[in-house]
């Protein structure tokens, strides 16, 4: 092992020790339970933020489609009636077996 490896190992052990001391000071005997609660809280906050972003995207899509009058494909909406499809040509021969 090199001196760099020993330095990295020492720094990591000091950071672990500081984190444990901080948790013991802040949370006491229930520090494991509190850290789990903190992680669960962070997950729930992430889910809420994701839901808000999704709702914003859906809302923007609705507003841009209804109020501004743009279709999702970039063409402007001119009429609410669907266009009629042309009828098939009578000269098309059917295939025989």
């Amino acid at each position: 092992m090199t001196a760099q490896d020993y330095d990295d190992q020492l720094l990591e052990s000091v950071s672990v020790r500081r984190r444990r001391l901080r948790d013991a000071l802040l949370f006491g005997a229930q520090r494991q339970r509190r850290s789990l609660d903190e992680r669960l809280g962070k997950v729930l906050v992430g889910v809420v933020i994701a839901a808000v972003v999704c709702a914003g995207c859906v809302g923007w899509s609705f507003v841009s489609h209804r109020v501004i009058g743009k279709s999702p494909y970039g063409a402007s909406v001119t009429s609410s009636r669907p266009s009629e499809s042309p009828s098939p040509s009578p000269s098309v021969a059917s295939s025989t077996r």
Side-chain angles (χ1 to χ4, degrees):
M1 294 186 104
T2 65
Q4 181 71 25
D5 293 335
Y6 289 124
D7 289 344
D8 290 341
Q9 187 178 14
L10 179 64
L11 289 173
E12 186 166 348
S13 69
V14 168
S15 73
V16 167
R17 188 174 297 131
R18 284 183 181 171
R19 187 178 70 235
R20 286 180 182 169
L21 284 172
R22 185 195 67 218
D23 289 347
L25 178 66
L26 291 175
F27 304 123
Q30 296 180 346
R31 67 179 179 261
Q32 291 294 336
R33 181 174 169 230
R34 302 263 180 161
S35 66
L36 177 65
D37 290 344
E38 287 177 357
R39 281 182 259 151
L40 184 61
K42 289 178 183 178
V43 168
L44 289 177
V45 168
V47 168
V48 168
I49 289 172
V52 168
V53 169
C54 287
C57 290
V58 168
W60 177 254
S61 174
F62 177 77
V63 167
S64 67
H65 181 69
R66 298 294 261 178
V67 175
I68 299 172
K70 293 182 179 177
S71 72
Y73 302 108
S76 62
V77 177
T78 57
S79 164
S80 61
R81 287 183 22 203
S83 62
E84 296 180 17
S85 61
S87 60
S89 170
S91 64
V92 174
S94 63
S95 62
T96 58
R97 293 181 192 219

